[in-house]
């Protein structure tokens, strides 16, 4: 085992500790960015001037009326930008646009003495526009061939030969929705300028270094003149990876021009209407199975709804393509990706970063095809699992593939799945108006950034003369428990109690060039860097301890805050050791660094080893559906998840539970809707509040919720043998959607296939039930030639039965 993964005796990692800020959270004492406003003097407030058109050209911008509003100090426009008028890394997101690209696009910002003054000033600004044609729906964009960015493709084998040799070939289309982040804390920045002209920005951001970079280039400054700090975030989920940069730049610009601190906090409605969401997708697919139900070939085109600019759409699409296989071996495969340009908010990162969308496509295919093949969905999935020695379509070997089988068997066993499925069959036979369903789905999720350069991290560790320890690392805390894990990593590496370790807020002037806290890699990267810094300090201290104890330095061990020689009874207390080291002029601080080894990725051909390892998980869900309304409840969920050797079990279990519920929300409840009419409201987000956008609540939680961590799962080459936990659990919720499909199908004849929209709202489930009751007339198997579905045509057109061969005609 590598030194990075090996754990010492009595480690602080692996112990269930509460979140390091839990008491502050529940008492309201935890400070967030906007709380700092009340501690700051003479703050100005920023408010956007939003234009209510999906697409329009600005022909005139009259700001003078705003200046007549009492309390308005200034209006920020493009003419005020001393650097680059752009908020994106792709240089396709003007900070002050002259072309409105989505309904509610901000074209300028008003600064006022109070938020209300800024709001009234924004309302007074006159914006004259020339309306332009708009594309709001993804299907309209596909039909208009409105695309942006690259068109990646993953190819292995010969798809056409695989289809020709398949015993059964099915085809279909599937369009599914995105998801709003709906973090508790909306976007917020607070900027001020010091006496030397240095800009300091407090920002609710997952990527402080990139926020620093964007602020600097908007202001025409060098990065060392800008410092960004993130105290903590009230949730992020990927929505604060790219989206905060422009907002921070607005606040910094205002502070620079007025010499006063500027606060920019979006209201909930502004946050919903101005910031990006999870990408919705459209998929056209053909799939071939052999006579035993094993996958032979898959040909799929995935088109994401990128919104008005690229943002992170290209890497999101790449990860979606890399996860379309999920846990299944695909001998012949061709996966093509496209990013559509629509007149909506610029869609962005969201927990899973495209992985959930790719997995949803293959799980939907298997769920629709299982009845047509006459194979139990549980068996169909297991039959197609990866085995040792196989590789993904992009060429990465699937290590530890046996864990999929182990996890699957454990859920079947501990969840009493066979017994419960018999009980469900009996229940369904005796209840014509209520049906139950139970489904299992697996997860195989790659861990690392798609962009190899981001897989690095730094940390700064200080040991003070009294023995206390302060850590600063490049990761940000958004409630996920990263800081808690880093305290445990440092305490383990130094051999001291966790009470001696404190963590400082993330700042760009302490650890530079940090990567976003994203891709589930926060603990892997920053944990490696923290351990590296601690190891440097420990090496120096063991030399001091060896002299004090009269032993060889290699024989010194520090545990529980005591330095001892191997086999020796006497020891030196940590505080005394540190004090002695100080007086011997031994360096008691260190900068740590970590880079993920073994990665290689050629994005031009979509081939290589982009991930350090795969995280695995299996979940089973049982649901009950009402046949009159489509309403349902989740009766029970059983999860077993692979987190390696957990750094902090309580934190990890919480992440699994929260990720699962968020995934269930995406798949069953959260229904984003935009106005697609030809009225003046075209392009308006209609679900722009909690009253119209349904979020998971306690009532949607499973009545029985069992979560277990896989045992004997050490991951070599990762800090203390752990694995990532942030994103993979979200995809475990796919089992809820598949259970709803099985329950809906139970209203029809045996082996009926039903199509289920996503999100599978009660309305969608009701129509799936009606389809099942009708005997699924639109989905059947016959004989003849297969014509691939054409992109942008919606459902595959029905053709005479004599012309169809083993083809599932699918309409969503």
């Amino acid at each position: 085992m590598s030194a990075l993964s090996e754990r010492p005796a009595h480690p602080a990692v692996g112990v269930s500790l509460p979140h390091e800020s839990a008491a502050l959270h529940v008492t309201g004492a935890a400070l967030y960015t906007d709380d700092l406003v009340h501690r700051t003097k003479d703050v100005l407030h920023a408010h956007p001037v939003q234009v209510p058109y999906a697409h329009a050209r600005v022909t005139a911008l009259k700001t003078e009326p705003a200046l007549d509003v009492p309390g308005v100090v200034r209006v920020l426009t493009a003419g005020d930008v001393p650097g680059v008028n752009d908020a994106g890394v792709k240089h396709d997101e003007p900070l002050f646009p002259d072309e409105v690209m989505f309904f509610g696009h901000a074209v300028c910002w008003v600064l006022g003495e109070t938020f209300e003054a800024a709001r009234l000033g924004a309302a007074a600004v006159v914006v004259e526009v020339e309306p332009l044609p708009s594309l709001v729906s993804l299907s309209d964009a596909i039909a208009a061939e409105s695309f942006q960015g690259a068109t990646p493709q993953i190819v292995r084998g010969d798809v056409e030969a695989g289809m020709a040799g398949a015993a059964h070939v099915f085809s279909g289309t599937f369009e599914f929705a995105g998801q709003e982040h709906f973090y508790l804390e909306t976007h917020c920045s607070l900027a001020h300028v010091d006496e030397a002209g240095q800009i300091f920005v407090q920002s609710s951001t997952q990527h402080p270094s990139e926020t620093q970079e964007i602020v600097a280039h908007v202001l025409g400054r060098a990065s060392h003149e800008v410092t960004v700090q993130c105290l903590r975030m009230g949730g992020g989920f990927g929505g604060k990876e790219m989206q905060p940069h422009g907002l921070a730049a607005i606040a910094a610009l205002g502070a620079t021009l007025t010499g006063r601190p500027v606060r920019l906090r979006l209201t909930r409605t502004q946050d919903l209407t101005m910031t990006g969401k999870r990408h919705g997708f459209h998929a056209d697919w053909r799939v071939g199975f052999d006579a035993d139900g094993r996958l032979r070939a898959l040909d799929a085109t995935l088109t994401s709804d990128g919104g008005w600019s690229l943002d992170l759409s290209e890497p999101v699409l790449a990860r979606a393509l890399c996860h379309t296989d999920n846990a299944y071996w695909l001998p012949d495969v061709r996966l093509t990706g496209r990013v559509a340009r629509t007149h909506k908010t610029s869609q962005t990162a969201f927990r899973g970063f495209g992985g959930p969308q790719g997995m949803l496509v293959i799980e939907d295919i298997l769920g629709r095809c299982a009845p047509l093949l006459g194979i139990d969905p549980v068996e169909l999935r297991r039959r197609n699992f990866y085995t040792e020695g196989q590789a993904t379509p992009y060429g990465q070997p699937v290590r530890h593939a046996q864990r999929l089988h182990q996890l699957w068997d454990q859920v079947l066993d501990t969840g009493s799945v066979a017994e419960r499925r018999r009980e469900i069959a009996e229940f369904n036979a005796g209840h014509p108006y209520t049906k139950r369903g139970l489904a299992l789905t697996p997860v195989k999720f790659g861990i690392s950034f798609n962009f190899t350069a981001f897989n690095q991290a730094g940390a700064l560790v200080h040991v003070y003369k009294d023995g206390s320890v302060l850590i600063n690392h490049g990761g940000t805390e958004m409630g996920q428990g990263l800081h808690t894990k880093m305290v445990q990593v440092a305490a383990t590496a130094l051999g001291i109690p966790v009470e001696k370790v404190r963590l400082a807020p993330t700042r760009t002037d302490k650890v530079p060039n940090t990567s976003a806290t994203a891709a589930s890699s926060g603990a892997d990267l920053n944990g490696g860097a923290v351990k590296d810094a601690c190891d440097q300090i420990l090496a120096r201290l063991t030399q001091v301890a060896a002299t004090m104890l009269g032993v060889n330095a290699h024989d010194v061990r520090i545990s529980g805050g005591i330095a001892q020689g191997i086999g020796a009874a006497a020891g030196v207390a940590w505080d005394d050791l540190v004090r002695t080291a100080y007086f011997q002029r031994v360096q008691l601080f260190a900068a740590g660094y970590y880079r993920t080894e073994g990665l290689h990725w050629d994005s031009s051909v979509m081939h290589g080893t982009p991930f350090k390892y795969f995280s695995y998980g299996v979940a089973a869900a049982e649901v009950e559906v009402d046949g009159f309304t489509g309403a349902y409840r989740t009766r029970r969920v059983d999860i077993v998840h692979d987190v390696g050797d957990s750094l902090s079990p309580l934190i990890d279990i919480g992440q699994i539970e929260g990720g699962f519920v968020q995934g269930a929300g995406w798949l069953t409840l959260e229904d984003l809707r935009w106005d697609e009419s030809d009225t003046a409201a075209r392009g308006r987000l209609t679900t722009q509040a909690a009253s119209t956008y349904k979020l998971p609540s306690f009532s949607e939680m499973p009545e029985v919720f069992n979560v277990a961590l896989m045992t004997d799962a050490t991951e070599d080459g990762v800090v203390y043998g752990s694995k990532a936990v942030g994103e993979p659990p979200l995809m475990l919720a796919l089992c809820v959607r598949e259970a709803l499909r099985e329950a809906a199908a139970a209203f029809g004849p045996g082996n009926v296939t039903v199509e289920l929209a996503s999100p599978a709202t009660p309305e969608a489930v009701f129509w799936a039930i009606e389809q099942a009751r009708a005997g699924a007339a639109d989905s059947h198997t016959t004989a003849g030639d297969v014509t691939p579905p054409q992109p942008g045509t919606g459902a595959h057109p029905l053709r005479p039965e004599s012309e169809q061969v083993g083809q599932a005609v699918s309409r969503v």
Side-chain angles (χ1 to χ4, degrees), residues 15 20-21 249 283 393 397-398 532:
V15 178
E20 48 91 26
S21 295
V398 180
D532 178 54

Side-chain angles (χ1 to χ4, degrees), residues 294-515:
R294 288 186 171 81
L295 287 158
R296 288 295 312 141
L298 175 65
D299 184 11
T301 297
L302 276 61
T303 307
S304 72
D305 185 346
W308 74 278
S309 69
L310 275 173
D311 194 271
L312 289 167
S313 294
E314 289 176 307
V316 165
L317 179 63
R319 186 170 279 261
L321 296 177
C322 288
H323 285 79
T324 302
D325 61 328
N326 192 10
Y328 311 110
W329 165 246
L330 300 169
D332 297 304
V333 58
R334 179 170 59 215
L335 303 171
T336 305
R338 304 179 298 187
V339 179
R341 188 195 301 273
T342 56
H343 293 102
K344 297 177 185 171
T345 53
S346 184
Q347 315 315 5
T348 190
F350 198 129
R351 198 175 193 171
F353 203 79
Q357 293 95 316
M359 292 183 189
L360 177 54
V361 170
I362 190 66
E363 294 299 341
D364 186 70
I365 289 171
L366 294 177
R368 287 159 73 165
C369 293
L372 301 174
L373 293 167
I375 301 175
D376 185 313
V378 173
E379 174 57 27
L380 179 63
R381 288 184 166 90
R382 179 179 187 128
R383 195 173 293 182
N384 283 286
F385 280 171
Y386 278 108
T387 58
E388 291 299 320
Q390 293 177 335
T392 63
Y394 47 89
Q396 177 159 349
V398 180
R399 289 192 306 112
H400 301 151
Q402 77 279 1
R403 291 189 184 182
L404 281 166
H405 302 263
Q406 294 169 8
L407 290 165
W408 194 260
D409 290 342
Q410 186 173 341
V411 172
L412 288 173
D413 180 36
T414 60
S416 305
V417 170
E419 178 184 348
R420 287 164 57 208
R421 293 185 89 193
R422 287 193 294 270
E423 293 172 354
I424 287 171
E426 293 174 4
F427 177 89
N428 288 347
H431 294 78
Y433 306 120
T434 306
K435 303 293 182 184
R436 293 175 180 171
L438 192 158
L440 278 77
T441 54
V443 164
K444 174 187 69 64
F445 188 80
I447 303 298
S448 287
F449 284 96
N450 296 60
F451 185 51
T452 303
F454 282 169
N455 294 289
Q456 59 177 309
L460 186 61
V461 176
H462 294 167
V463 178
Y464 293 96
K465 286 187 292 183
D466 63 355
S468 61
V469 178
L470 181 68
I471 307 169
N472 196 293
H473 64 86
T476 54
E477 176 63 50
M478 61 197 90
Q480 84 277 35
L482 175 62
H483 285 355
T484 306
K485 289 184 174 183
M486 294 305 97
V487 168
Q488 290 179 267
V489 167
T492 298
L494 295 173
I496 60 177
V498 294
E499 293 77 17
K500 284 193 168 292
V501 184
R502 186 176 78 82
L503 211 143
T506 310
R507 284 175 63 123
T508 57
D509 61 352
K510 297 297 186 292
V511 180
N513 308 321
T514 58
S515 297

Side-chain angles (χ1 to χ4, degrees), residues 562-620:
I562 303 294
Q564 290 177 300
I566 295 176
V572 178
W574 169 262
D575 294 356
D576 293 336
L577 174 60
V578 169
R579 190 177 304 110
T580 301
Y582 169 76
F583 283 110
Q584 291 182 7
R585 297 188 295 178
V586 173
Q587 183 179 333
L588 294 174
F589 60 91
Y593 179 76
Y594 174 79
R595 53 173 283 173
T596 308
E597 300 294 343
L599 303 181
H600 168 69
W601 181 243
D602 186 343
S603 59
S604 65
V605 293
M606 295 290 285
H607 192 271
T609 303
F611 306 121
K612 176 67 175 177
Y613 56 83
F614 294 106
S615 284
Y616 301 106
V618 170

